[in-house]
Amino acid sequence: MTDAGTADRSGRPIRVGLDVGGTKIDAVAVDAAGEIIGRLRRPTGWGDDAVVESIVTSVATLADETGLTVSRIGSVGIGIPGLVDAEAGRVDHAVNLGVESLDLAERAERALGVPFRVENDVKAAALGAAALSGVSGSMAYLNLGTGVAAGIVIDGRIWRGARGTAGEVGHLSVDPHGRLCGCGQRGCIETFCGGGALAKAWGRPGALPIRDIFDAADAGDPLALALRDDLYHGAAAAVRVLVLSADVETVIIGGGLTALGGRLEDGIRAALHAGAEASPFMRSLRLDERIELLSAGSPAAAFGAALVGASITEKEIVPHG
């Protein structure tokens, strides 16, 4: 379903997706064939007004740089951290953006005259990762960044569960005697493999603490070796939970820690393999063969947001391929 004046040459709308993070917005323009035809990154504002302004400016600038007018954009999807009411277009408790409660879709639509849809950033990234990776059936997206979260996609659609928390494994406690988590529990998966928790446990200055941990571990530092093993252990636990609870075929790993590349992927695979050695059942699941690592800088989160936005006007979300 397309409004006049909002379509590309094929008669279908241009879709824009924005991944709104604590420091930057990653924005993409996607054509009717599912190809990314423009991309930009801009700083994110702080507080309600600045967040709305930075989103509106990002869409307008992306249109200009892609050679489009805003009137040719059929929909905009936003992936944003916090508690999202997708139906209302509202985000609550986005603490890293200085937002307590914001009717984001309504305010952005009023400013640009384009329909907006809002989704949690990890759920949007899960949708984008499934589409860009060509995964059909069921998959989970595990985001390893400052925190740990996950989203599940089944047959090209986000699976939310009864209350919207399906796949959220970061605050599942796997060691009641472990480190205290920000949620109040001890030994959550996030305390093992979340970048923030690891940096706090490392306690040494540096711009890239997780990379510093890995480098120090390679040099034999005992604390770094222990923390690196924690990361592998925690990520492997998250993969096991996602597969055993939802029986997803693939777990795609994304987030800031993927900048570690093979050092991260190989360690998680080894931890999954070692954890299954004593169990014929776990060996039969071949978990170490069911993970994939997104490439650093992947547009999956913004692309997924574009698909979220497209759902306003399209009954079916057609995976990229």
Side-chain angles (χ1 to χ4, degrees), residues 78-239:
I78 298 173
I80 191 168
L83 299 176
V84 172
D85 183 334
E87 291 304 314
R90 185 176 61 250
V91 58
D92 297 322
H93 311 303
V95 294
N96 291 335
L97 296 167
V99 169
E100 180 57 32
S101 184
L102 175 61
D103 290 318
L104 182 52
E106 178 187 347
R107 289 189 55 179
E109 285 175 9
R110 195 161 60 234
L112 275 180
V114 176
F116 277 74
R117 190 169 180 86
V118 184
E119 181 56 86
N120 172 266
D121 58 340
V122 174
K123 287 182 171 61
L127 194 61
L132 290 175
S133 300
V135 173
S136 59
S138 63
M139 59 80 65
Y141 171 77
L142 176 62
N143 188 83
L144 300 180
T146 302
V148 176
I152 294 174
V153 173
I154 298 176
D155 295 330
R157 294 189 177 276
I158 298 167
W159 181 48
R160 302 176 185 281
R163 301 190 180 183
T165 58
E168 291 287 0
V169 298
H171 295 297
L172 192 154
S173 175
V174 292
D175 180 4
H177 305 293
R179 286 190 287 268
L180 182 65
C181 182
C183 77
Q185 300 183 101
R186 286 192 174 274
C188 289
I189 284 176
E190 186 169 298
T191 67
F192 285 91
C193 56
L198 288 169
K200 183 177 180 181
W202 179 236
R204 305 180 192 180
L208 299 169
I210 310 305
R211 190 178 298 278
D212 291 344
I213 289 170
F214 271 61
D215 290 344
D218 288 341
D221 182 284
L223 175 59
L225 285 165
L227 292 176
R228 186 178 66 179
D229 285 346
D230 278 352
L231 196 167
Y232 295 151
H233 168 76
V239 171

Side-chain angles (χ1 to χ4, degrees), residues 249-265:
E249 179 61 33
T250 306
V251 178
I252 297 178
I253 301 172
L257 298 193
T258 57
L260 294 163
R263 292 202 286 178
L264 176 69
E265 184 174 11

Side-chain angles (χ1 to χ4, degrees), residues 285-297:
L285 298 178
R286 299 183 181 274
L287 297 183
D288 57 311
E289 298 175 13
R290 292 164 72 168
I291 64 171
E292 298 178 14
L293 204 68
L294 277 182
S295 59

Side-chain angles (χ1 to χ4, degrees), residues 38-58:
R39 186 180 187 186
L40 65 76
R41 293 180 177 87
R42 290 180 60 89
T44 307
W46 173 265
D48 292 9
D49 293 344
V51 167
V52 173
E53 182 183 2
S54 59
I55 286 170
V56 169
T57 302
S58 294

